[in-house]
Amino acid sequence: MQKSMVQQVMVQQVGTVTAEDGAGHAKAKSSLMRSPQFSSFVILVVLLVVFAVADGNFLSPLNISNMMAFLPELGIIALGMTLLLTAGEFDLSVGAVFALAPVVVMLLVQNAGVDIGVALLAGLLLCIAIGAINGVIVTKIGISSFLVTLSMLLIVRGAALYITQGFPLKSWDQPGFFVTLLAGSFNIGAFRFYTSLWWFIGLSLLAVYVLRYAKLGNWISAIGSNRNAAVARGVPADAVKIWLFIATSVLAGLAGMISAFRISAASPVAGTGYELEVIAMVVVGGTALTGGRGTILGTIVGALMLRAIRNGIVLVGVPGLAYNIFVGVIILAMLILHALLQKNAARS
Amino acid sequence: MMQEVLRLQNLQKSFGSVRALKNASLTLKEGEVVALLGDNGAGKSTLIKAISGVFPIDRGDIYVRGEKVSIRSTREAMDLGIETIHQDTSLAPDLSIARNLFLGREPVNLKWLGVFAPLDLAKLRDAASALLKRVGISKKLDADALVSTLSGGERQSIAISRAMQFAAKVIILDEPTNNLGVEETHGVLRFVKEMRAAGHSVLLITHNIHHVFEVADRIVVMRRGEIVAEQTVADTDLLTVESLITGADLSALMKRAQ
Ligand SMILES: Nc1ncnc2c1ncn2[C@@H]1O[C@H](COP(=O)(O)OP(=O)(O)OP(=O)(O)O)[C@@H](O)[C@H]1O
Ligand SMILES: [Mg+2]
């Protein structure tokens, strides 16, 4: 009873934001039913119910707190990736940046005695530089983002390993303003949340606004949909893409900082494989890998879904080594569902 | 008399070893419709892409209202009052009609926010609906419909109505009646005449010579990257134009056959 009400409220919330530019309500409703983020949302609810029934601990405060601690870290990267994919590019170097940024920041503070604020600024500049290099090579030299960011993955990961000699840094023992800002925690009843959740919520709202309501979002979708058409209308496609690469890199670095501060340690192998997990979240949510169609709400649903799956299948007792089989199968099923819905929509 | 709006002087453009434009010169006057003719690969699209800033020219000068300009981007061409409808579809299929109509020139609130400024969605939709009505597209189109759901002809009509709205000085149409049905074709030709009546200049690329005689004042013929003939429509006829395009003297052939 209570659950169904929660579901209704959530459906309505998704609905109001999904309604194409606030168009008529009836029309919005029917297109909502067919929209990819809606089908993802339904599947998320089903998964949550299945896990909740299968294991009583799934919805326990401790477990929910756990999921909410992890969610923002990949979710924040996924927001940037969604915008980038909508513009027709993607970034495989995010997992490596996730590791390198905190490694550099913490090394500067721990070994070089640099002030934490200055070190964070250096980390930020590093992320901007990585994103800018990705973007400039992709747009100005015209090499596919797959190849460019794959190379960047190796360079960045290699750098993280080299400067740490492959070892995790010694644990972080300096609380302070920035640590609280990025990884502070607070309790609501029996739940324990981290400030990173606020970051995720704030950045999500910003991303929804940019993609759906701002001039920039119109440009991003147009570039991914038909780059030549956008350029012919005077849209600065290359500049937009370069800035999106930068934003994605910075968000990956931010997520890395949040994670490192939360666990009080930076490791050169942190975030290994995150690039694919993030891309999976984004496409499971309904954003087209080919560009032009992006949905931030879908990405949030996708991020929740992958988090819930990873968490749930452990609780349900799937052997650890078999996780990825399930994750892969569920992702594939989602993509097939999206494709079928797309076909149906085109026919009607 | 009629003021010169656009003058091209000795434009040259090569793609690797392909010399797509050899020495093209052309003048367009106020309120004049010029038809640019030529066989496939003659260099027509290349010429108009150079004017509209799609790519830079290798050599040559462009004058707008007597002033020498350099057009380095599509935005600069648009700011100079040159609107182009390209042959290869110029719409983004995943965007709505309304968003396509205003792509690159979106009406926004809070302008100071720059690219982050929120779209004025109400204005966007109203202006789009008004525009769709004005072009007289046969089927009633919803401004919120995605362009990917439209037919080729409908897309073409959308692209044309987009060029109309910004009251450009020079409107360039690259084969605008391709893929269009009878009614839409007449809509386009009517639009060209309207534009001329309103004092705009139109550069029309087409393979349909009948259309040329219906709307154009002057014809310019290209062959292998060069402009090979220029005539006023009143002083020429269909056969002459056809022979100019192909390079074979058709009227002589016809006479011999008789
Ligand atoms: N981007 C490009 N790269 C290389 N060659 C090109 C390019 N664009 C055009 N060309 C070549 O330049 C020549 C002129 O092409 P253009 O598109 O201007 O012809 P056109 O007169 O518009 O023909 P059509 O009537 O078929 O549209 C052709 O030989 C074409 O192959
Ligand atoms: Mg052409």
Side-chain angles (χ1 to χ4, degrees):
Chain A
M1 178 63 194
Q2 206 163 19
K3 194 173 278 159
S4 82
M5 244 170 62
V6 170
Q7 278 176 27
Q8 256 178 14
V9 171
M10 285 179 88
V11 168
Q12 269 167 11
Q13 275 171 354
V14 172
T16 45
V17 195
T18 314
E20 180 62 48
D21 304 344
H25 210 80
K27 199 180 76 190
K29 218 172 197 173
S30 76
S31 74
L32 164 70
M33 295 300 195
R34 250 184 273 133
S35 70
Q37 64 265 45
F38 181 76
S39 50
S40 307
F41 178 75
V42 171
I43 293 191
L44 172 63
V45 172
V46 170
L47 276 173
L48 292 180
V49 170
V50 168
F51 285 137
V53 170
D55 190 298
N57 284 329
F58 183 73
L59 290 181
S60 71
L62 179 66
N63 195 47
I64 288 181
S65 302
N66 254 330
M67 281 197 277
M68 288 299 138
F70 285 115
L71 174 74
E73 289 163 17
L74 282 160
I76 286 172
I77 310 177
L79 296 175
M81 193 71 86
T82 306
L83 299 183
L84 199 54
L85 272 174
T86 309
E89 304 290 348
F90 56 88
D91 185 351
L92 295 176
S93 67
V94 288
V97 173
F98 181 94
L100 183 64
V103 158
V104 166
V105 170
M106 290 190 178
L107 267 182
L108 282 175
V109 175
Q110 289 176 339
N111 293 18
V114 176
D115 176 72
I116 174 81
V118 177
L120 282 169
L121 187 66
L124 177 68
L125 291 176
L126 177 70
C127 295
I128 291 175
I130 292 170
I133 292 170
N134 280 337
V136 168
I137 296 178
V138 167
T139 57
K140 300 298 181 191
I141 303 184
I143 304 175
S144 87
S145 53
F146 178 83
L147 300 172
V148 173
T149 61
L150 181 64
S151 314
M152 189 56 84
L153 181 165
L154 296 171
I155 294 168
V156 172
R157 179 69 69 190
L161 285 167
Y162 183 72
I163 60 177
T164 57
Q165 293 299 304
F167 293 108
L169 302 186
K170 66 172 188 263
S171 68
W172 182 262
D173 51 6
Q174 309 176 18
F177 170 71
F178 290 109
V179 177
T180 315
L181 185 68
L182 292 175
S185 63
F186 55 95
N187 293 313
I188 298 178
F191 297 92
R192 179 182 180 79
F193 293 119
Y194 285 87
T195 41
S196 58
L197 195 58
W198 292 122
W199 281 92
F200 183 46
I201 292 170
L203 289 167
S204 296
L205 291 174
L206 182 66
V208 167
Y209 167 75
V210 165
L211 191 54
R212 196 163 262 287
Y213 299 105
K215 180 155 107 176
L216 180 59
N218 210 35
W219 291 2
I220 292 172
S221 306
I223 292 167
S225 184
N226 183 350
R227 185 183 171 279
N228 289 341
V231 170
R233 299 311 298 166
V235 172
D238 289 355
V240 169
K241 281 188 181 177
I242 291 171
W243 280 109
L244 288 179
F245 273 109
I246 291 175
T248 306
S249 241
V250 167
L251 289 176
L254 172 68
M257 287 312 310
I258 286 173
S259 171
F261 277 144
R262 181 173 57 76
I263 59 178
S264 295
S267 158
V269 293
T272 303
Y274 275 19
E275 54 281 344
L276 296 181
E277 181 103 3
V278 164
I279 291 173
M281 287 174 175
V282 175
V283 294
V284 157
T287 293
L289 196 56
T290 47
R293 275 175 288 123
T295 154
I296 296 291
L297 283 168
T299 295
I300 295 168
V301 171
L304 279 167
M305 192 182 308
L306 262 79
R307 190 72 263 148
I309 294 169
R310 288 222 178 267
N311 180 282
I313 54 184
V314 183
L315 291 183
V316 174
V318 172
L321 291 175
Y323 290 172
N324 280 335
I325 300 175
F326 281 78
V327 178
V329 166
I330 293 174
I331 292 175
L332 206 52
M334 287 298 315
L335 295 179
I336 291 170
L337 185 75
H338 286 323
L340 292 178
L341 285 171
Q342 186 84 38
K343 255 192 189 157
N344 259 330
R347 215 175 288 137
S348 67
Chain B
M1 212 191 66
M2 275 202 290
Q3 239 198 322
E4 165 194 309
V5 177
L6 180 71
R7 181 152 52 94
L8 313 175
Q9 224 161 35
N10 304 326
L11 298 195
Q12 296 185 18
K13 176 76 190 176
S14 300
F15 298 106
S17 61
V18 181
R19 294 184 64 197
L21 282 184
K22 279 175 196 154
N23 234 332
S25 301
L26 184 119
T27 310
L28 195 59
K29 292 191 200 120
E30 203 171 70
E32 185 185 39
V33 176
V34 171
L36 186 57
L37 306 176
D39 261 338
N40 295 128
K44 309 179 296 293
S45 296
T46 306
L47 181 69
I48 60 110
K49 280 181 181 165
I51 313 170
S52 52
V54 173
F55 42 58
I57 44 173
D58 299 338
R59 204 160 296 158
D61 298 316
I62 301 176
Y63 298 83
V64 173
R65 290 194 184 270
E67 239 176 86
K68 191 171 162 189
V69 296
S70 65
I71 300 176
R72 281 157 307 192
S73 70
T74 50
R75 165 67 63 183
E76 285 183 355
M78 285 160 70
D79 290 344
L80 286 167
I82 301 170
E83 283 280 338
T84 309
I85 296 161
H86 294 281
Q87 179 175 18
D88 19 44
T89 164
S90 46
L91 302 177
D94 297 305
L95 267 56
S96 69
I97 295 177
R99 281 176 179 247
N100 262 289
L101 282 172
F102 288 91
L103 182 55
R105 288 181 170 173
E106 295 84 354
V108 293
N109 298 315
L110 311 175
K111 209 165 176 178
W112 53 272
L113 281 171
V115 295
F116 293 102
L119 296 173
D120 187 342
L121 293 174
K123 191 168 165 193
L124 189 77
R125 200 163 332 99
D126 292 348
S129 303
L131 202 66
L132 288 177
K133 245 179 241 148
R134 210 171 105 208
V135 229
I137 294 169
S138 53
K139 200 176 106 192
K140 200 171 173 307
L141 292 177
D142 179 359
D144 282 327
L146 294 186
V147 163
S148 60
T149 64
L150 303 182
S151 79
E154 286 164 348
R155 289 181 201 200
Q156 194 80 315
S157 310
I158 301 294
I160 289 168
S161 33
R162 185 168 63 186
M164 282 174 74
Q165 71 189 311
F166 297 113
K169 283 184 219 154
V170 178
I171 296 172
I172 301 172
L173 302 165
D174 194 351
E175 305 192 21
T177 54
N178 257 7
N179 309 317
L180 291 195
V182 178
E183 197 181 335
E184 281 83 0
T185 300
H186 282 291
V188 172
L189 297 178
R190 197 174 58 232
F191 159 68
V192 171
K193 290 177 194 163
E194 270 174 26
M195 288 292 108
R196 172 174 52 197
H200 303 274
S201 312
V202 180
L203 188 58
L204 173 72
I205 300 179
T206 180
H207 287 293
N208 187 324
I209 300 179
H210 297 283
H211 293 169
V212 174
F213 281 90
E214 197 178 331
V215 298
D217 301 306
R218 213 148 50 87
I219 59 163
V220 172
V221 181
M222 287 188 77
R223 212 183 298 145
R224 291 202 214 100
E226 283 175 302
I227 292 187
V228 293
E230 235 187 292
Q231 298 188 324
T232 49
V233 168
D235 299 339
T236 189
D237 58 68
L238 219 130
L239 226 51
T240 316
V241 175
E242 272 184 357
S243 52
L244 284 172
I245 293 172
T246 54
D249 192 347
L250 285 182
S251 50
L253 280 177
M254 292 290 278
K255 266 185 209 136
R256 218 178 302 152
Q258 284 164 4

